[in-house]
Amino acid sequence: MGELSELTWRISDERIPYQEALDFMERRVAEIRAGEAPETIWLLEHPPLYTAGTSAKPGDLLIPDRFPVYEAGRGGQFTYHGPGQRVAYTMLNVKKRGGDVRRFVHDLEEWVIRTLDRFNVRAERREGRVGIWVADGPSGSGREDKIGAIGIRLRHWVSFHGISINLDPDLSHFDGIVPCGISESATSPYGVTSLAKLGQMVTMPELDMALKAAFEEVFGA
């Protein structure tokens, strides 16, 4: 098999139907494995929808008829995608990048953290909780909100699915699910937030530029 070394970035301004994105990723993963296409990162937005990962619990879908629900095939539980959220689908050759899946997931997390740092948002990992989190409340309150999600799948060492960052989505849309198994309630210290809610007025092109720069820091050009 041959191998293409360049990395391609795709940016879609229109909202991409979820099935269209799945179909593209399936094709591109096969092409990357065969050496017929370069590694690809696709930045896009979806119309409002919920996706169920391989660990999704039926009871975590709180409002089944609110938005379409798709079986994602990635790891993780339920998540929401919609306008104002940047999704980055990462079709990368993990074998070529060292073959360490745990390290690869760590690097995806670091990618999100460094992207948000460019907007003066301190985001962090949390042991036992998937995704990227920010403190969102008075110091010492324990309040933490999720601002970035991560869910991947590997096929023959090529990754697909990826990450998402909440720029300025309608946060009430998360109410229809228990996102990634984390329940938000009056007594829960966990919820969902966005750059806009944190007071950062960032445009989507600005976020895309930050994603590209941070990616090169973490993964190489």
Side-chain angles (χ1 to χ4, degrees):
M1 293 186 296
E3 185 174 292
L4 300 178
S5 59
E6 70 270 21
L7 172 71
T8 294
W9 289 80
R10 287 168 53 101
I11 301 178
S12 295
D13 295 326
E14 71 278 11
R15 296 172 188 170
I16 303 298
Y18 192 70
Q19 190 61 51
E20 179 180 331
L22 286 180
D23 292 344
F24 175 85
M25 286 191 286
E26 290 279 352
R27 293 194 305 271
R28 182 51 53 99
V29 164
E31 291 166 350
I32 292 171
R33 180 171 181 256
E36 297 171 352
E39 293 182 304
T40 302
I41 295 180
W42 189 7
L43 305 181
L44 56 81
E45 292 174 271
H46 286 304
L49 57 92
Y50 298 130
T51 66
T54 53
S55 301
K57 302 174 183 177
D60 285 349
L61 181 61
L62 305 178
I63 310 177
D65 300 326
R66 186 169 191 181
F67 298 126
V69 180
Y70 294 88
E71 298 290 333
R74 54 158 175 79
Q77 301 182 44
F78 279 104
T79 193
Y80 165 77
H81 293 311
Q85 181 192 74
R86 183 49 105 205
V87 176
Y89 287 132
T90 57
M91 291 148 274
L92 301 174
N93 188 329
V94 178
K95 190 73 169 179
K96 184 181 75 174
R97 294 176 177 274
D100 186 334
V101 177
R102 187 180 297 273
R103 178 67 191 183
F104 180 68
V105 173
H106 180 277
D107 287 347
L108 290 176
E109 294 170 339
E110 187 67 20
W111 180 24
V112 176
I113 289 168
R114 294 197 189 194
T115 296
L116 294 170
D117 184 63
R118 283 168 160 75
F119 304 110
N120 299 312
V121 172
R122 181 180 177 181
E124 300 175 316
R125 305 169 182 86
R126 285 293 178 264
E127 187 70 28
R129 280 186 265 140
V130 179
I132 300 301
W133 299 78
V134 297
D136 193 9
S139 178
S141 69
R143 174 73 186 188
E144 292 186 341
D145 288 340
K146 189 172 186 176
I147 193 169
I150 297 171
I152 65 164
R153 183 178 179 182
L154 292 183
R155 180 175 297 150
H156 303 293
W157 288 101
V158 180
S159 68
F160 55 125
H161 298 283
I163 68 168
S164 64
I165 295 176
N166 295 333
L167 177 64
D168 189 17
D170 184 338
L171 295 178
S172 72
H173 289 178
F174 286 89
D175 295 345
I177 57 172
V178 178
C180 298
I182 301 297
S183 177
E184 180 175 9
S185 69
T187 59
S188 172
Y190 309 130
V192 182
T193 193
S194 66
L195 282 164
K197 185 180 178 184
L198 295 173
Q200 301 298 322
M201 297 298 104
V202 179
T203 67
M204 197 66 81
E206 288 171 337
L207 180 56
D208 291 345
M209 289 177 62
L211 279 163
K212 286 185 175 182
F215 182 90
E216 291 189 3
E217 285 182 4
V218 177
F219 290 95

